[in-house]
Every structure is written in structure tokens, then in C-alpha cells.
Amino acid sequence: MRIMETDIVVIGTGPGGATVARELAKRGKGVVLLEKGKARDWSVGTPLAYAAMYDIRRSKQGILVRRGITPGGSTMIYSGNAYDPPAFLKEDLGIDLDAEVLETRKELGIRPVPESFYRHHPGTRRLVEAAGEMGHAMKPQARFIDASLCDPHCDKCLFGCKKAAKWTARSYVDEAVAHGTRLVTGCDVRGIIHSRGRVEGVQAETAKDAITIRADRVVLAAGGMGTPEILHRSGIKGAGTHFFTDPMSVLVGEMKEGPGTFREITYTFADESRKGEFVFGNVGAVNAFVAQIAAKNISAFPRGARMTKLAGMFVKLCDEPSGEIRKDGSFHKAFTPRDEHLMAQGIAAAKAVMIKAGVRPDTITVAKGIGGHPGGTAAIGRVVGTDLATDIENLYICDNSVMPVSGGIPPVLTLIALAKQFARGLR
């Protein structure tokens, strides 16, 4: 049994946990940062990342959830899109993150990929033009991408980024370590130690030993699935319900003439006119094809189709918080009637755009229900207050699990801003 002592334990190295650790370490606080996964850098930038960094789980009802289990969390395998916080945070909860969002946008250089990239993306351009002709404004998307380092024909953001063009939370982890944070990877947190309503530390295990970490404060940032699992194991009640995943449907089909979206960057354009219900946009051919494999949909894929002629689109749903992470580690998540209705509308719109752009209708297949933003399971108003504090004194939660409902959009910028504000408020 190894025993460690520190001021603060942060569990999880995604955008929430990494930001909290960085902010506190820069202020001279003693921080121990725990990460369940290992770095496994050999897989970055290749499809091997699916085996090395992804945790892919499927509910009994068929919803697929993908998350990153590695330093940097799911930012290692996200598309790099940046959206402002959903309006309900300020309007309903009084959480104003405007200053932190502006700071982060400047700090990380968040902006759309340059227009010069799209001149060499004929498939994407055809989709955008077709959408415009049908009354859908697919607009350039702001991204956590340094265009000077980015290869416009790479489209491997979902496998990691060898060129470091895409910002990931690993950079904040590295900064935290440079300021004295002790990072422990391959670390499975077994429970929060608490007594008489006050936190006392964390119990964890690595492949080598068991660890007891004594601390005055614990910040739980293990994500929408990891956080409720740890709370369940710790005997802390109330978490695990109201689970949402922002599920996607990914469409792919073969162009009749000309190139598709092969070697074109995924999610560079999107129609946000129905944000709060769904958004839809472009997908590179390889990612669209891999999505069919992940969803076990490959049997429906047209035989003889050429990768260079494939074109893809996605529909991202703002789903209802209807799922549950259970005490035994299993999870329940299904489409509600509202979810089914909205997803069907989104798929129909995306299909129509693809056909208008020149995709053969008989080749279009759809991988439905691929979730990537698990949350809602330790929400503000149910498990934590607006200060992110739980009923256990000095135990806090700072990840997507605190969102009471889905925003239907990538949450990374929101979580960085929320974590900055939270960490700066700790004394």
C-alpha cells in the first residue's frame, strides 16, 4: 500500500480535470492528478487509436458511446470543434462564462480552418453548395486547430494528432506537471474516502500497487460515465440518472461523378439552424466508413464502392437525458420518441443534401446512435450546486456530468471555461 499526501486530488485529465489541475498548480497548490488510461503515443494518428485510447461501449438498447481513456481524455480523439456554452448555463443557472470563453479563444487561437483549405476539398464544397441551394446554411466551424501545423488532407483528428495541430488537454496536463503536479497514469480510482460528511482522500489502484491519497479536497472530473461510477462505488447517492450522449448518425454514400470527401477534414461545416434539436455537417470519407464499422453496419455498405468517391455527413442530436449509469457499471440509454423524431428529420435533411450534391441514393447507408459527449449524470441542481460542490464537504465535480441537459454541441470550450472559473474560485 502506497500512501500519498497532497492539498488537492483531481481525478481525470480531460478538459475539466486538466484545466483545474493547471490552474491550481500555477497557484502553487499541491496537486495529484489521476488518469485511468496510459499515454500509448504509438497509436496517435492511426486507426490503432481505436484499440489503444478509445473506450467503446454499447447500451443494451443499441446506443454506442465512445470516449477517450488516456491523458487528455476525449480531447485526444475529438474533432476539435469549439462551441460557446449553451444559453441555459447563463439564463437558467446564472453561470456566466463569457470572460473565460473569450480568454480561452484568444489563448488557444480558436478559429475556423482557413478558406484556403477548402479550395482543395471538392467533395465538401459540393455538399456545402448543395445545402445552400436547399436553404441550409452550412457555415465554417471554429476549431481548436493551429492551421500552420495542420495538413489539410489528413483528417485524422479522431485518431489523435501527430503534428500537434489540434489542441488537446494533454498540453494543460503537461503545464500542470511542469508546475509541480504529480501525475499518476494507469490509475483506477476505487472510491472517494469520506467521513462524517467531509472528504478525506481517494483510494486507487495501479497495475503495481494500491494507493491511498490523503487530501483536503477532491475534484472529480472523470466524465459523464466515469464520475457516477466512482460516486456509486463510494456510497455517495444521487448520481447516474439523466444520462445523455449527444448521439450522432453518420451517413456515407458514393458520388456518381467526381471525388467524394476522401482526405477532406471532418466537421468543418455545419448547419446550426436547429441547434437545440440537431446540427448536421460534413464528414471525411474514411471517418464515415469507420463509423459504419463501429456501428456494425458494414453489411449494408455497397460492394465495390471506392473510398475516393465516398462522401459523408453527420447528424448530431440534442438528446433527452433519459439514460442511466447503474451501480454494476452497466448503462441504459435508448432513443425517446422525441429523439427518434428529430433524428429522422436530421437524417432526411442530410440525405437530401447528399443526393443534391451527386451521391447515388442507393449507396447511402446510415450508422445510427453513436454518442460522444456523455453527461448529465451528476448534474447541477441534482448532485452539485452552481459552485460544483457536492453534499460531501470539499468534494467537487467538474466535467460534462454536471450539465443538467444536453447542449447538443461539442462541450470542450464550455468545460475549459467552467473549470477555469471554478478553480479560480477555490481558496
Side-chain angles (χ1 to χ4, degrees):
M1 170 72 73
R2 181 166 35 134
I3 297 176
M4 303 173 68
E5 294 188 359
T6 188
D7 297 329
I8 300 168
V9 177
V10 179
I11 302 168
T13 62
T19 303
V20 169
R22 172 188 185 242
E23 290 292 326
L24 296 175
K26 287 169 67 175
R27 281 169 38 197
K29 299 291 185 182
V31 181
V32 172
L33 181 57
L34 307 180
E35 167 56 47
K36 185 174 183 178
K38 296 183 178 180
R40 292 172 174 156
D41 291 336
W42 52 268
S43 70
V44 173
T46 75
L48 293 174
Y50 269 90
M53 296 192 295
Y54 274 79
D55 175 41
I56 302 177
R57 298 167 63 184
R58 188 186 301 271
S59 74
K60 294 179 181 179
Q61 297 77 27
I63 300 293
L64 196 72
V65 181
R66 303 185 297 182
R67 58 180 183 154
I69 304 296
T70 186
S74 292
T75 64
M76 289 298 296
I77 55 173
Y78 75 146
S79 60
N81 289 67
Y83 281 77
D84 285 341
F88 67 75
L89 280 178
K90 182 189 291 187
E91 295 174 0
D92 299 338
L93 301 175
I95 300 174
D96 185 348
L97 300 175
D98 289 352
E100 291 80 10
V101 166
L102 180 60
E103 173 191 309
T104 303
R105 283 185 173 276
K106 290 181 178 179
E107 176 189 342
L108 300 180
I110 296 171
R111 58 179 59 87
V113 175
E115 186 179 345
S116 60
F117 279 33
Y118 308 134
R119 296 184 193 132
H120 307 289
H121 290 174
T124 297
R125 191 167 61 247
R126 288 169 72 181
L127 290 172
V128 172
E129 291 171 353
E133 292 171 11
M134 300 180 72
H136 301 295
M138 285 176 57
K139 298 179 180 178
Q141 297 293 290
R143 298 178 66 118
F144 290 87
I145 300 290
D146 182 344
S148 68
L149 300 175
C150 183
D151 177 355
H153 298 296
C154 174
D155 196 31
K156 294 179 181 177
C157 288
L158 300 181
F159 304 151
C161 182
K162 282 188 178 296
K163 295 179 176 291
K166 180 184 73 171
W167 178 87
T168 74
R170 276 196 188 179
S171 66
Y172 279 8
V173 171
D174 292 343
E175 285 188 59
V177 170
H179 283 87
T181 291
R182 288 175 284 176
L183 173 65
V184 183
T185 59
C187 183
D188 187 15
V189 173
R190 304 311 303 164
I192 307 297
I193 305 169
H194 57 99
S195 177
R196 298 179 181 179
R198 184 181 178 88
V199 80
E200 296 180 349
V202 172
Q203 290 180 325
E205 296 176 352
T206 69
K208 295 181 179 180
D209 58 7
I211 311 172
T212 295
I213 308 166
R214 296 172 179 160
D216 296 326
R217 294 176 179 175
V218 174
V219 179
L220 184 50
M225 300 182 78
T227 285
E229 290 173 357
I230 292 170
L231 292 173
H232 284 325
R233 289 198 293 264
S234 306
I236 299 172
K237 298 179 180 180
T241 63
H242 298 80
F243 180 45
F244 63 79
T245 66
D246 291 354
M248 288 193 305
S249 288
V250 181
L251 296 80
V252 66
E254 187 176 18
M255 288 284 192
K256 295 175 186 176
E257 298 179 358
T261 58
F262 180 65
R263 300 192 71 200
E264 298 183 11
I265 302 174
T266 294
Y267 204 167
T268 47
F269 287 85
D271 183 325
E272 302 175 35
S273 62
R274 295 186 66 177
K275 187 168 62 176
E277 296 181 334
F278 62 80
V279 298
F280 67 84
N282 63 298
V283 178
V286 173
N287 283 321
F289 179 73
V290 170
Q292 309 306 311
I293 298 173
K296 300 181 179 179
N297 200 37
I298 199 65
S299 61
F301 198 75
R303 294 182 180 179
R306 289 172 288 176
M307 188 68 71
T308 56
K309 293 182 70 66
L310 296 182
M313 290 191 72
F314 74 87
V315 180
K316 180 177 288 294
L317 182 69
C318 183
D319 60 323
E320 294 190 292
S322 60
E324 181 182 3
I325 307 295
R326 294 172 175 164
K327 291 183 179 180
D328 63 2
S330 66
F331 72 100
H332 166 92
K333 180 60 182 170
F335 281 110
T336 66
R338 172 191 176 275
D339 294 340
E340 291 281 10
H341 176 70
L342 289 176
M343 183 62 87
Q345 289 186 344
I347 290 172
K351 274 187 177 180
V353 169
M354 292 174 73
I355 293 168
K356 180 76 172 178
V359 174
R360 290 169 44 205
D362 61 309
T363 68
I364 297 175
T365 59
V366 183
K368 181 182 173 184
I370 302 175
H373 308 145
T377 48
I380 295 169
R382 290 193 290 269
V383 178
V384 298
T386 54
D387 58 357
L388 307 188
T390 69
D391 289 340
I392 304 296
E393 187 177 355
N394 289 337
L395 172 62
Y396 306 89
I397 301 174
C398 189
D399 58 33
N400 208 41
S401 68
V402 305
M403 296 297 159
V405 294
S406 167
I409 51 176
V412 174
L413 180 55
T414 298
L415 295 176
I416 294 171
L418 182 66
K420 284 183 174 182
Q421 186 176 97
F422 162 72
R424 291 168 184 175
L426 282 180
R427 295 290 179 259

